[in-house]
Amino acid sequence: MDPFYTDKQTLSDLQLLDDGPDSVFACFNKTITYGGEDALRELFRKPLTDLNQLQQRSATIRFLMDQVDELRLDKTTVDFLDYYLKSPERPVSFSVYRGIRNTVKFFFSPNQAFYAKRRGIAEMVDTLMFIKQFGETHPEGNNIPLLADLQESLHKLTQHPILKKLVNAPQRRLKRYTLEQIDFLLRKEYYQETLTLLDQLYFLDAYYAVASTSRARGFTFPTFQEKENLSLEGVFHPLVSNPVANAVILDTDKRVNFITGANMSGKSTLMKATGIAVYLAHIGFPVPASRMETCILDGLITTINLADNINDGYSHFYSEVKRVKLVAQQIHQSDRLLVIFDELFRGTNIKDAYDGSLRIIQAFSGLGKGFFMVSTHIVEVAQALSTNGKIAFNYLPSRMEKERPVFDYQLRGGITDDRIGLWILQNEGIFELLK
């Protein structure tokens, strides 16, 4: 099965993985541990097209949303455990002689390595006890593969009598000889098992961060179906304060959603919200919408915040042309691609922009595959295409009140020729300055 297609421009347009607080990743990143953050980033980077894998991810998040009020995972414990287990100075063998020798050595001259070993083992015991308690508190979680695997890793480690005894009856002060035995078990004999358990713990942290964020923000799980359509109700942008929710529908009858509206009416925000919802659905996450129904898509390509490519000597218009070419190439390989173009061909003269937009959108509507959201600053293109029954026309309205534009950001059916560019110039005092 082919992977879900997207590219750097799309990730940037939708602020999916940007560094800093203003990204969709940051919205979900309520992880407790550093390793949990890395695991969450890995989930974000791997959108899926396999329904079983998507359902498995969603089931894990849904269970944590419904059943776990708080994940009592201690950051300091897990972070130090990671340091201890991955320290390069690991034991290579163990014998009675080595155990006694090290016991005597560290009794008279304990060093940093000894204290790290003692603390690391204590943190490992606490972690094993946490996993044991989690399984006992949530036995129904054994139906969730990640949680079942975590309990299986615990079972493998506690098959050894020493580790089993520690978990069932923990001791705060272990004898130095016992420390040497346990250190060998954790960092040599059962080393791969301990690393696997740690990795599973990080993914539990990541999934719980998604669950707690989704629960707090009212996100919902998408429904996947075989029927070729994309239907969103109450979709909103997760990074906008007090966002306005809208409905977006694309199906086999109308594969193109053509959106018109004045500057600042919310076209870009709506397109970004749609793209974000589609991407999140394909990493198995809940989405910022009241309802989402979709087929599994092959990929997502957006062109929203496109810049000149100075290094390659590309103008803005040529960069747009390269994006359209990329879409055409991907359409040849994919039947279910979502393409979003905001303000198509804004980088060239009005005549070329009109002619190019008209022909491109006509071509999109006649393909018989894929879905397209397109906006343009040239309303005449929408009017020229208004009789095309394969295109859904929607607009975001604006009106003037007391000589100021007012927007409600609610999508409506039809075409608008609202323009406020001249008002913006006047409001900024440009003409007065130029006198």
Side-chain angles (χ1 to χ4, degrees), residues 202-363:
Y202 286 147
F203 275 98
L204 175 61
D205 185 12
Y207 278 116
Y208 185 76
V210 177
S212 60
T213 298
S214 302
R215 184 169 54 206
R217 305 193 62 169
F219 293 176
T220 58
F221 287 94
T223 301
F224 290 98
Q225 59 179 21
E226 186 57 37
K227 180 183 176 183
E228 202 172 344
N229 80 325
L230 171 60
S231 176
L232 287 154
E233 292 180 7
V235 64
F236 60 92
H237 198 299
L239 303 181
V240 173
S241 300
N242 302 314
V244 176
N246 274 294
V248 174
I249 298 175
L250 289 159
D251 55 32
T252 53
D253 293 329
K254 295 183 185 294
R255 293 182 178 273
V256 179
N257 195 328
F258 197 142
I259 302 172
T260 52
N263 293 322
M264 302 190 299
S265 62
K267 300 189 300 298
S268 298
T269 300
L270 175 60
M271 290 178 148
K272 289 177 181 179
T274 303
I276 289 168
V278 166
Y279 190 89
L280 291 177
H282 285 80
I283 57 175
F285 287 16
V287 301
S290 59
R291 188 184 72 86
M292 180 177 183
E293 192 175 87
T294 182
C295 58
I296 292 181
L297 297 172
D298 298 327
L300 170 66
I301 300 176
T302 71
T303 305
I304 298 174
N305 300 318
L306 191 63
D308 302 349
N309 192 323
I310 296 173
N311 292 332
D312 292 333
Y314 294 168
S315 67
H316 188 279
F317 174 66
Y318 193 65
S319 294
E320 289 180 303
V321 171
K322 296 284 283 185
R323 295 298 288 174
V324 175
K325 183 177 180 180
L326 171 67
V327 168
Q329 291 169 335
Q330 284 302 125
I331 287 172
H332 274 289
Q333 303 174 39
S334 305
D335 291 332
R336 295 180 173 182
L337 195 69
L338 174 62
V339 177
I340 297 176
F341 272 106
D342 185 25
E343 300 285 2
L344 189 61
F345 296 137
R346 72 179 80 174
T348 189
N349 66 78
I350 191 71
K351 180 68 169 64
D352 284 344
Y354 173 88
D355 292 338
S357 298
L358 184 65
R359 293 187 62 178
I360 292 296
I361 297 169
Q362 280 178 327

Side-chain angles (χ1 to χ4, degrees), residues 20 58 80 86 112 131 210 230 235 264 275 302 315 324 364 398 401 432:
S58 295
F80 192 87
K86 296 176 182 177
Q112 184 178 355
I131 295 169
V210 177
L230 171 60
V235 64
M264 302 190 299
T302 71
S315 67
V324 175
F364 285 165
S398 60
E401 286 186 4
E432 291 301 317

Side-chain angles (χ1 to χ4, degrees), residues 124 128 152-161 163-164 185-186 190 193-194 197:
M124 186 66 184
L128 294 176
E152 177 62 22
S153 294
L154 172 67
H155 176 70
K156 287 180 179 178
L157 285 171
T158 54
Q159 281 186 324
H160 195 283
L163 295 176
K164 184 177 182 179
L185 292 173
L186 295 179
Y190 291 104
E193 288 82 355
T194 59
L197 181 140

Side-chain angles (χ1 to χ4, degrees), residues 175-191:
K175 294 179 180 179
R176 283 178 167 79
Y177 183 81
T178 305
L179 283 175
E180 295 299 321
Q181 284 182 296
I182 297 172
D183 180 55
F184 175 76
L185 292 173
L186 295 179
R187 295 202 294 163
K188 179 62 178 179
E189 187 170 337
Y190 291 104
Y191 187 57

